[in-house]
Amino acid sequence: MIILEGTSASEGLAFGTLCFDTREDETPMFDIYLIDNTDIPKEVERFEEATKSAVGYFRKLAENFESVAHNAIFEAHMFMIKDRDYQDSVVSIISRKKVNAETAVWDTAKIFEKKFEQMSDPYLRSRSQDVLDISICIINFLQNKTKAHKVVGQELVLCAEDFIPSQISQIKQRGVRAFISKYGSYYSHSAILLRTMNVPMIVNIGDDLHPYMHGKDAIVDGYEGKVYVEPDESTIQELSQRNENYKKLNADLLKLVHVPCITEDEKRIRLCANMNTFNELKSISKAGADGIGLLRSEFIYLDRDSYPSEDEQLEIYKEVLETMGDKEVVIRTLDIGSDKTASYMNLEQEENPALGRRGIRFCLKNPEIFRTQLRALYRASVYGNLSIMFPMITSAKEIREIKKHIGLVCQDLADKNIDFNENMKLGIMIETPIAAIMSDKLAPEVDFFSIGTNDLSQYTIAVDRQSPVMNDICNASTQHAVMRLIKNVTESAYKNNIPVKICGDMAFNEELVPLFVTMGVNELSVPPAKVCKTKKIIIGMNTKNFKDHVRFL
Ligand code: PEP
Ligand code: MG
């Protein structure tokens, strides 16, 4: 057994096989051989049986995902498998070339991949990946190796130098158990995504994480930041037992779902959940959250080949709002740039993208893209309790510019007799030191503040949150500086009579939660899996015990 150590970026225990290959188009291993004329019907029959199994397999995957958007992916796979041209091509290759079914499926996959790649429509072009995906699945069923299907593997621990958010959102749909990386940081968006999905991640393992470990069994302990490669029997037993204990603890926490979030001295705190992908909708509803405090809308824009249209966005926002009923949903407008990009966006290359044109700076420079999202949001506003907020704000001037775009969008909707809520609440994220320091000047311009402690920390400490340096440099004294800024923001919000929320990851920090509550923060928004844990801290505290601590920050 080898024990690898890194930094825990997302808690949880996972058992799986280490996989260093995250490429989706890997050529499957199979024998190529010629068959006799008399074997043709048998090969066609094998292909038909494997096709049925693959359809059943994707149907099961589709059932595992509650959102329409994700179901649609696997529905499309099933549709493609049954496609007449695809089926005819495989059967014809078996008969004409007298090859085994595996060879005919892979030849067909390559023919269709080329056809899709030559299409001008970017959506259809991207279907080339799907045809490879379904073909690999059929080949695996032909070989009775469903578990080895790399793309939809059920028990894989993915290993890489580092992960980018679009990789995570693609791969999670396919059921990977844990992520571990050589580099990376707790504060990266990939880690945030996985914490919200409740999938274990360990970063910063260093060179000990070596590709020769590919294919070995492992246990990932996301609580302790350890990976046990080829674990011995006693480790397996110990960690299985701990897993049972964690499950019991979680079951106990779930008893708090319907308990109101009120401190011992009767201060009521709104406790909301963050949402990064649409798979989390069910867990948010179950977690007893008061609403969605941060929906990171940029994840709608990743993992695809072109900008989502107004109607596509509307469908997604509508689904979320209708599911949440009268609970508030705060959707943050596109916060693209830095580590969150997709190749179709062609973002300009910058030396320091985290300090460049990201978030609202990108949107204000690209009004078409911004207004498409605003139109979708305003149209969606009639389907539930929607508020919107804007990332990376640094000045009142930006807020006024945003409001001009909103004015144009609303005027156009009104001219076209399209319903929308003209009184939708507009908030800003306080995630740059300048916004925190000048919060008294920004407060009169907006309906609420939401503090993004992840960015506020990186910009205050001057360390890229992607960098492993962040793991080392974040400590009590750097946190202290950020806490002073947060206290200033809370005071500005209080004086201007607007609510202040925290949606960055400090919002579930066990030591800081009582301080936020005592300072007068009105709402905390945390990953769905942390809602009950955070509630436990709040219902067990009394603000009188933390007053001095806050006063002397
Ligand atoms: C933050 O910066 O704290 C935040 C909530 O936004 P993100 O992590 O998506 O940048
Ligand atoms: Mg941020």
Side-chain angles (χ1 to χ4, degrees):
M1 174 171 82
I2 300 172
I3 304 176
L4 305 175
E5 295 200 33
T7 307
S8 162
S10 179
E11 292 182 340
L13 274 172
F15 296 67
T17 307
L18 297 181
C19 175
F20 279 78
D21 192 351
T22 58
R23 283 176 303 134
E24 301 215 344
D25 59 348
E26 190 187 13
T27 308
M29 299 291 288
F30 57 85
D31 290 334
I32 299 173
Y33 52 84
L34 292 173
I35 55 170
D36 291 333
N37 267 338
T38 48
D39 289 331
I40 292 174
K42 198 180 89 211
E43 270 326 278
V44 171
E45 198 184 319
R46 279 182 68 229
F47 166 64
E48 285 168 354
E49 281 307 310
T51 297
K52 273 189 215 146
S53 304
V55 169
Y57 182 71
F58 285 117
R59 181 167 297 123
K60 240 195 205 130
L61 280 182
E63 284 163 8
N64 285 341
F65 288 95
E66 67 235 26
S67 87
V68 176
H70 284 147
N71 277 345
I73 293 173
F74 298 114
E75 294 288 349
H77 274 45
M78 287 186 268
F79 190 74
M80 198 179 263
I81 294 176
K82 291 189 250 171
D83 177 77
R84 213 38 290 150
D85 289 346
Y86 180 86
Q87 293 277 322
D88 287 350
S89 166
V90 176
V91 173
S92 143
I93 292 175
I94 293 175
S95 329
R96 272 188 303 110
K97 295 192 179 170
K98 298 193 185 57
V99 288
N100 58 328
E102 287 90 335
T103 309
V105 170
W106 196 240
D107 283 359
T108 299
K110 288 290 161 190
I111 295 167
F112 275 67
E113 182 194 20
K114 221 180 237 136
K115 268 194 203 163
F116 279 120
E117 277 176 355
Q118 283 161 358
M119 292 186 178
S120 55
D121 180 333
Y123 173 80
L124 290 175
R125 245 192 344 262
S126 71
R127 302 284 65 79
S128 64
Q129 281 299 320
D130 295 354
V131 83
L132 292 178
D133 198 359
I134 61 160
S135 304
I136 292 171
C137 187
I138 294 172
I139 289 171
N140 282 329
F141 274 109
L142 280 166
Q143 301 185 304
N144 299 323
K145 281 200 317 197
T146 49
K147 271 198 166 176
H149 179 32
K150 284 272 168 53
V151 184
V152 288
Q154 292 291 298
E155 290 151 6
L156 295 181
V157 172
L158 285 191
C159 314
E161 304 255 308
D162 200 355
F163 289 100
I164 54 168
S166 59
Q167 271 176 314
I168 307 279
S169 47
Q170 278 169 27
I171 291 166
K172 175 58 176 88
Q173 288 160 18
R174 302 168 196 277
V176 175
R177 291 286 177 258
F179 292 75
I180 63 177
S181 63
K182 220 167 166 178
Y183 310 114
S185 144
Y186 174 92
Y187 300 88
S188 68
H189 280 102
S190 313
I192 288 173
L193 255 179
L194 290 173
R195 284 198 287 279
T196 316
M197 292 167 163
N198 212 15
V199 175
M201 179 187 217
I202 298 177
V203 296
N204 207 15
I205 295 174
D207 289 340
D208 290 347
L209 180 62
H210 197 277
Y212 80 77
M213 292 170 178
H214 180 79
K216 294 193 190 301
D217 284 339
I219 307 178
V220 176
D221 181 353
Y223 296 98
E224 304 283 335
K226 288 185 180 162
V227 184
Y228 300 86
V229 183
E230 297 192 308
D232 54 32
E233 205 39 51
S234 71
T235 307
I236 294 176
Q237 280 191 6
E238 189 197 319
L239 287 167
S240 305
Q241 183 54 50
R242 261 182 47 209
N243 208 14
E244 288 308 309
N245 297 345
Y246 286 129
K247 279 189 194 154
K248 270 198 208 113
L249 274 176
N250 278 334
D252 283 347
L253 281 174
L254 283 181
K255 291 183 189 145
L256 298 179
V257 161
H258 299 295
V259 173
C261 189
I262 301 176
T263 64
E264 278 177 4
D265 52 330
E266 313 239 307
K267 240 175 159 297
R268 171 90 167 88
I269 302 297
R270 276 177 55 77
L271 193 51
C272 293
N274 292 347
M275 179 166 167
N276 299 334
T277 67
F278 291 90
N279 283 326
E280 293 142 27
L281 204 43
K282 209 178 200 163
S283 52
I284 288 175
S285 311
K286 278 194 202 146
D290 291 318
I292 296 176
L294 163 66
L295 190 155
R296 290 181 163 95
S297 69
E298 52 278 7
F299 292 102
I300 302 169
Y301 291 72
L302 302 177
D303 190 13
R304 48 182 299 136
D305 292 324
S306 59
Y307 283 100
S309 68
E310 180 183 321
D311 284 347
E312 269 178 274
Q313 292 190 54
L314 174 63
E315 276 312 300
I316 295 170
Y317 303 146
K318 184 172 165 220
E319 187 182 332
V320 177
L321 286 163
E322 288 183 338
T323 307
M324 294 304 289
D326 55 9
K327 291 185 173 173
E328 188 187 31
V329 175
V330 182
I331 298 185
R332 173 177 76 190
T333 58
L334 181 61
D335 180 17
I336 214 68
S338 191
D339 60 332
K340 288 178 289 188
T341 75
S343 52
Y344 71 87
M345 293 176 174
N346 283 326
L347 299 187
E348 70 190 74
Q349 293 293 321
E350 297 177 279
E351 280 289 314
N352 294 301
L355 300 176
R357 194 157 282 152
R358 74 167 270 211
I360 201 64
R361 301 170 189 175
F362 172 85
C363 284
L364 292 176
K365 258 276 175 245
N366 295 277
E368 279 301 308
I369 296 165
F370 190 37
R371 287 214 283 264
T372 301
Q373 183 173 33
L374 289 173
R375 279 179 67 89
L377 287 167
Y378 271 89
R379 284 174 65 195
S381 63
V382 293
Y383 295 103
N385 181 358
L386 176 63
S387 302
I388 54 180
M389 64 178 177
F390 305 94
M392 289 289 291
I393 294 296
T394 54
S395 69
K397 184 168 165 278
E398 281 167 345
I399 302 171
R400 289 185 207 123
E401 218 177 312
I402 290 167
K403 285 186 179 166
K404 268 194 206 144
H405 289 289
I406 290 178
L408 290 171
V409 163
C410 290
Q411 187 56 53
D412 188 47
L413 291 176
D415 290 349
K416 296 194 165 89
N417 282 329
I418 298 173
D419 277 350
F420 64 95
N421 173 10
E422 58 189 331
N423 297 317
M424 189 154 54
K425 290 206 175 74
L426 304 177
I428 53 169
M429 294 204 58
I430 302 286
E431 51 184 354
T432 56
I434 188 172
I437 294 164
M438 303 305 286
S439 51
D440 56 331
K441 299 278 180 262
L442 302 178
E445 308 280 341
V446 293
D447 297 314
F448 64 91
F449 282 157
S450 186
I451 305 177
T453 56
N454 306 327
D455 279 317
L456 189 57
S457 300
Q458 82 159 340
Y459 295 125
T460 303
I461 309 167
V463 184
D464 186 338
R465 66 197 263 190
Q466 291 288 103
S467 160
V469 175
M470 192 74 168
N471 300 314
D472 306 332
I473 211 160
C474 252
N475 56 31
S477 74
T478 52
Q479 246 175 24
H480 192 156
V482 178
M483 290 301 283
R484 283 190 179 176
L485 290 175
I486 294 175
K487 188 177 162 194
N488 189 48
V489 176
T490 318
E491 285 165 3
S492 301
Y494 182 76
K495 281 183 200 142
N496 286 277
N497 206 18
I498 60 168
V500 58
K501 317 167 180 211
I502 299 184
C503 61
D505 282 22
M506 276 187 178
F508 58 91
N509 180 307
E510 288 178 38
E511 282 160 24
L512 302 181
V513 166
L515 303 185
F516 294 143
V517 174
T518 308
M519 264 179 209
V521 169
N522 308 88
E523 175 185 306
L524 297 174
S525 192
V526 301
K530 304 282 184 203
V531 170
C532 286
K533 214 170 167 189
T534 310
K535 194 186 280 185
K536 190 167 181 223
I537 303 169
I538 295 171
I539 60 179
M541 66 164 280
N542 189 318
T543 58
K544 83 170 189 297
N545 298 329
F546 298 95
K547 287 233 151 67
D548 276 350
H549 198 138
V550 169
R551 188 174 310 136
F552 296 115
L553 263 177

